[in-house]
Amino acid sequence: MTTIADRPPAVHHGATRVDGPDKVAGRARYAAEHPMAELAYACPVTSTVARGEIVKIATDRATATPGVLAVLHWGDVPHASGHEDPELALFRSPMVSYRGQIVAAVVATTLEVAQEVAAQIEVEYRVEPHDVELRSEHPGLYTPAHVNPDFDTDSFVGDVEEGLARSAITVDVTYTTPAQHNHPMEPHACTAWWDGDHLTVVDSTQGPWRGRAGIAGALGLDPGQVRVIAQHVGGGFGSKGTTRAHSVVAALAARAVDRPVRCVLARRQMPAVVGHRTPSIQRVRLGADPDGRLLAISHDVVEQTSRIKEFAEQTAVATRHMYAAPNRRTTHRLVRLDVPTPAWMRAPGECPGMFALESAIDELATELGIDPVELRIRNEPTVDPESGLPFSSRNLVACLRDGAARFGWDGRDPTPRHERRGRWWVGTGVAASVYPARAAPSRARITIDDHRRYTVEIDAADIGTGARTALLIAAAEALAAPTTDIEVRIGDTNFGEAMIAGGSMGTASWTWAIVEAADALRARIAAHDGRVPPEGLSAEAHTGASIEQLPDAARFTFGAQFAEARVDVDTGEVRVPRLLGVFAAGRIVSPVTARSQLVGGMTMGLSMALCEESRLDPEFGDFTRRDLASYHVAVNPDVGEVEAYWLDEDEPELGPLGAKGVGEVGIVGTAAAIANAVHHATGIRVRDLPITVDRFLDAP
């Protein structure tokens, strides 16, 4: 493998967002803005019951309405045979598995007609009793075969019960996190059209290549018959990482009416059909000797999935890698409920799991009378506690120490409820962050013309993270060319296989492919004595073989988060004027966009801590907060000073640039740091998120 030292010095370090001017000027086209002639619109009709069977759908009145082109529903759509995701098997069964499930779609010449008629469609159901309540003792609990994406469901090392019995100090506590919903600024949208038996889709997706496979499977097509384009995507947070039902609706509708069709989900429809973070019930037990060395760690998780598809979030997996202890156990149990299927949401598993673990570590520090930063350092492992493999790099201790110095942690009085400023109790808290560092096979192609201008093509997706900017920087460095001579084209399955913008793997995966393609192109240019023929030259690379050759190691991004919380002495209102994070994430390719991702993740963690939750109405089985007026997220006045720093870290094995992901590690640990700060401020331990004022009413 060619290393960074083998290439010329970097030629460009300070690139700002290269797509900024197009977005500000409105030239950037999103999925719902793709210009098409004779465009029709599809509006989904969703179930009003949580469980049952469709008996009848009245469509005569709808199809007679001027402007209506078709009504798609059970019994009226050709059934393609495929290996489709059950969530995408639209109109193939009369069964209803959750409230909000798509049961029909109206296709019309205008969006207004489609929406109005869809609201008038009458569906008759045979209703069955439903169950939407997650309980730790639910009789339907079972052990899934694995947890997302393919981790072992449970892990056992040593004897946890014996370790707890030998411990001088133990903590045995239960934490809960609520369901949360991905609400990207751009709703899920798709424009689709057919050319014979070939389908083109302009989709709001985090991964066109993966989306192509999902759509093809749902429609019984060969993936080569489907082209997916996604050049600009307005956020995703995981909800656009897999194919969603709106894309299948658009494709089916376009085939039914033989013209391009656009389907845009309304905000109120998204909670049911684009996934959510599962609620969790987490019991954490820790045992330590008088000096704070952990003797036992146990983390048991209960969470939910739907009846039609299993999704088991890897909530306790991060606990397996964090701290040294001779006795450790993690378990996951699921229950199938009459709810939509949970799915990825920024840092799935690590985010809720580390809230519980890092809160419990803080509780242990309080019981021991040891500074919580010092307690974490004392339990730093020398190798990965789970696998026994060496860490490729692990700078958590450095992050903790650097963050403590920047935050002003030294001299902190550990006594809870000791500082009051006017009407506010003031406290500080700390938590660790972790997220896997990985890369996935991807393909890139680079062309040079006889004017020595380069075109880079890769099926990456920029979901607002600044991917174009990072890829441009990587290409400029690898080619030893100015950025002004390089055009980066992304978001098209015609460019070949590439990793999705998810799992904090995008930058590492894509830049790896670009660097290998650049090396191949430079070799071709050298073979032509440094000249470029009139027809130009091109080269491509696929990183599958390189990734397979990675040596065994435990690869993670680590960080330390510090928070200051203020709690109103009368109302219990919580404010967070300061958040500070220090991270060790390999080489930072694009400092401007990396900082944006870390600050954004920490801000989302603030939302998780203080206000973000989705509630299910047990009577109707429906999420009650289905818009941004009722589903509360942190907005500008809620956010104080948020600082993100990183350490220089060499990660030579993870691709030629040594890049680790930063898209998700920023949210991990934030909620725990805030909850720990709230305890320090008030002496009240809040173990159930979010930390709303009612959490203090029954506290001693």
Side-chain angles (χ1 to χ4, degrees):
M1 181 189 302
T2 305
T3 66
I4 199 72
D6 298 323
R7 272 186 293 278
V11 296
H12 193 84
H13 289 288
T16 57
R17 286 183 177 269
V18 297
D19 55 350
D22 283 345
K23 289 183 175 179
V24 171
R27 292 188 297 266
R29 299 283 189 180
Y30 293 82
E33 299 174 322
H34 190 78
M36 293 296 299
E38 298 185 345
L39 182 66
Y41 298 83
C43 183
V45 178
T46 56
S47 167
T48 57
V49 303
R51 186 176 184 181
E53 182 177 6
I54 299 170
V55 175
K56 181 181 179 181
I57 298 181
T59 62
D60 290 347
R61 181 178 172 186
T63 54
T65 303
V68 172
L69 301 174
V71 179
L72 311 180
H73 60 87
W74 157 245
D76 193 48
V77 175
H79 294 185
S81 60
H83 53 283
E84 73 280 341
D85 181 331
E87 288 279 8
L88 305 180
L90 301 181
F91 318 134
R92 300 186 190 180
S93 168
M95 304 309 298
V96 173
S97 300
Y98 55 86
R99 190 178 178 107
Q101 182 176 340
I102 295 176
V103 296
V106 175
V107 190
T109 54
T110 69
L111 177 62
E112 293 78 9
V113 170
Q115 290 176 329
E116 181 178 356
V117 174
Q120 298 171 357
I121 295 288
E122 296 179 1
V123 183
E124 181 182 339
Y125 301 94
R126 178 182 59 78
V127 181
E128 299 178 15
H130 62 261
D131 180 5
V132 297
E133 183 183 359
L134 179 64
R135 309 185 296 280
S136 59
E137 302 299 328
H138 196 288
L141 285 174
Y142 71 96
T143 304
H146 60 84
V147 294
N148 177 63
D150 56 4
F151 294 114
D152 290 340
T153 303
D154 300 339
S155 66
F156 301 92
V157 176
D159 188 331
V160 165
E161 301 303 330
E162 190 270 340
L164 290 169
R166 288 194 299 109
S167 297
I169 299 293
T170 61
V171 167
D172 184 349
V173 284
T174 297
Y175 304 90
T176 67
T177 60
Q180 296 172 326
H181 272 93
N182 320 59
H183 273 291
M185 199 66 119
E186 178 201 18
H188 292 63
C190 175
T191 304
W193 64 95
W194 293 82
D195 182 5
D197 61 356
H198 282 71
L199 172 68
T200 301
V201 170
V202 179
D203 204 359
S204 182
T205 176
Q206 292 174 230
W209 190 262
R210 187 186 186 104
R212 183 182 83 153
I215 294 171
L219 301 176
L221 301 174
D222 183 276
Q225 295 175 260
V226 181
R227 179 187 182 189
V228 178
I229 301 169
Q231 295 188 346
H232 294 279
V233 182
F237 310 113
S239 68
K240 297 175 182 176
T242 56
T243 302
R244 294 298 176 187
H246 71 283
S247 304
V248 179
V249 168
L252 289 173
R255 185 161 59 185
V257 301
D258 195 25
R259 61 197 290 183
V261 171
R262 178 167 296 156
C263 181
V264 181
L265 293 180
R267 181 70 60 179
R268 66 183 181 277
Q269 294 171 329
M270 287 168 53
V273 294
V274 303
H276 64 279
R277 195 193 299 280
T278 176
S280 71
I281 302 170
Q282 305 180 53
R283 183 187 182 191
V284 179
R285 294 186 292 164
L286 304 176
D289 67 18
D291 294 327
R293 265 77 179 189
L294 286 164
L295 300 178
I297 302 174
S298 177
H299 192 170
D300 301 307
V301 181
V302 172
E303 50 200 24
Q304 71 188 31
T305 189
S306 70
R307 295 197 186 275
I308 63 171
K309 180 182 176 182
E310 180 179 281
F311 179 83
E313 187 152 317
Q314 70 277 27
T315 304
V317 167
T319 298
R320 302 172 186 175
H321 309 284
M322 283 304 297
Y323 301 113
N327 306 288
R328 301 190 313 281
R329 180 182 78 179
T330 65
T331 67
H332 299 82
R333 299 295 178 264
L334 282 184
V335 60
R336 294 189 182 277
L337 299 175
D338 303 303
V339 297
T341 307
W344 301 333
M345 186 171 178
R346 199 174 198 168
E350 286 80 8
C351 184
M354 287 291 283
F355 163 69
L357 176 65
E358 291 299 293
S359 295
I361 290 287
D362 197 74
E363 297 205 43
L364 182 64
T366 300
E367 293 293 325
L368 288 163
I370 298 176
D371 179 84
V373 171
E374 175 61 24
L375 179 62
R376 289 171 171 84
I377 293 174
R378 289 185 189 183
N379 289 284
E380 177 72 1
T382 56
V383 295
D384 178 30
E386 179 70 8
S387 65
L389 292 171
F391 288 100
S392 61
S393 57
R394 179 176 169 123
N395 286 297
L396 175 57
V397 170
C399 290
L400 286 163
R401 287 178 171 154
D402 187 77
R406 293 177 183 274
F407 192 74
W409 187 265
D410 291 348
R412 170 186 183 262
D413 187 331
T415 307
R417 203 171 181 144
H418 79 281
E419 183 178 355
R420 178 171 172 173
R421 300 180 194 171
R423 57 185 283 206
W424 303 95
W425 292 112
V426 180
T428 52
V430 63
S433 300
V434 64
Y435 199 80
R438 299 166 293 198
S442 298
R443 183 181 302 277
R445 179 182 178 88
I446 305 179
T447 301
I448 184 173
D449 64 22
D450 58 351
H451 298 291
R452 303 195 77 85
R453 294 187 59 84
Y454 299 88
T455 300
V456 178
E457 295 176 327
I458 186 167
D459 188 30
D462 193 331
I463 60 174
T465 56
R468 278 183 177 81
T469 304
L471 300 187
L472 180 63
I473 292 172
E477 180 174 284
L479 294 165
T483 56
T484 51
D485 287 349
I486 302 171
E487 179 186 4
V488 176
R489 297 177 180 173
I490 66 172
D492 192 328
T493 52
N494 279 355
F495 299 156
E497 176 189 8
M499 175 59 191
I500 68 168
S504 292
M505 287 190 274
T507 298
S509 303
W510 303 328
T511 58
W512 194 335
I514 286 173
V515 169
E516 288 198 357
D519 289 346
L521 180 61
R522 290 174 58 200
R524 289 205 66 191
I525 295 172
H528 283 74
D529 298 323
R531 299 182 185 88
V532 178
E535 68 274 16
L537 292 171
S538 65
E540 65 178 44
H542 187 278
T543 58
S546 298
I547 291 173
E548 287 180 0
Q549 295 170 11
L550 280 175
D552 288 339
R555 297 181 176 84
F556 297 90
T557 296
F558 290 96
Q561 307 237 21
F562 295 79
E564 177 186 322
R566 301 184 181 186
V567 184
D568 189 285
V569 298
D570 296 317
T571 67
E573 176 190 351
V574 181
R575 294 184 182 177
V576 180
R578 263 200 314 158
L579 282 175
L580 183 146
V582 178
F583 304 91
R587 182 187 178 199
I588 301 299
V589 176
S590 171
V592 169
T593 58
R595 181 184 180 278
S596 176
Q597 283 299 288
L598 293 169
V599 169
M602 294 166 70
T603 302
M604 195 168 174
L606 172 68
S607 264
M608 176 184 181
L610 300 186
C611 56
E612 198 166 344
E613 65 175 331
S614 291
R615 294 182 178 178
L616 270 167
D617 184 319
E619 181 176 354
F620 296 101
D622 198 8
F623 288 109
T624 59
R625 300 179 173 183
R626 297 187 294 167
D627 55 41
L628 293 181
S630 56
Y631 185 86
H632 295 158
V633 297
V635 294
N636 200 54
D638 302 317
V639 182
E641 183 178 354
V642 183
E643 300 176 79
Y645 303 93
W646 50 81
L647 307 178
D648 291 332
E649 185 177 64
D650 185 26
E651 185 71 27
E653 295 174 353
L654 196 63
L657 295 188
K660 294 180 179 178
V662 297
E664 289 162 283
V665 71
I667 192 176
V668 179
T670 307
I674 292 171
N676 295 339
V678 166
H679 172 260
H680 186 230
T682 65
I684 298 171
R685 177 66 64 176
V686 179
R687 301 187 178 103
D688 306 296
L689 292 184
I691 309 172
T692 47
V693 295
D694 56 299
R695 304 298 190 202
F696 300 100
L697 295 180
D698 298 326

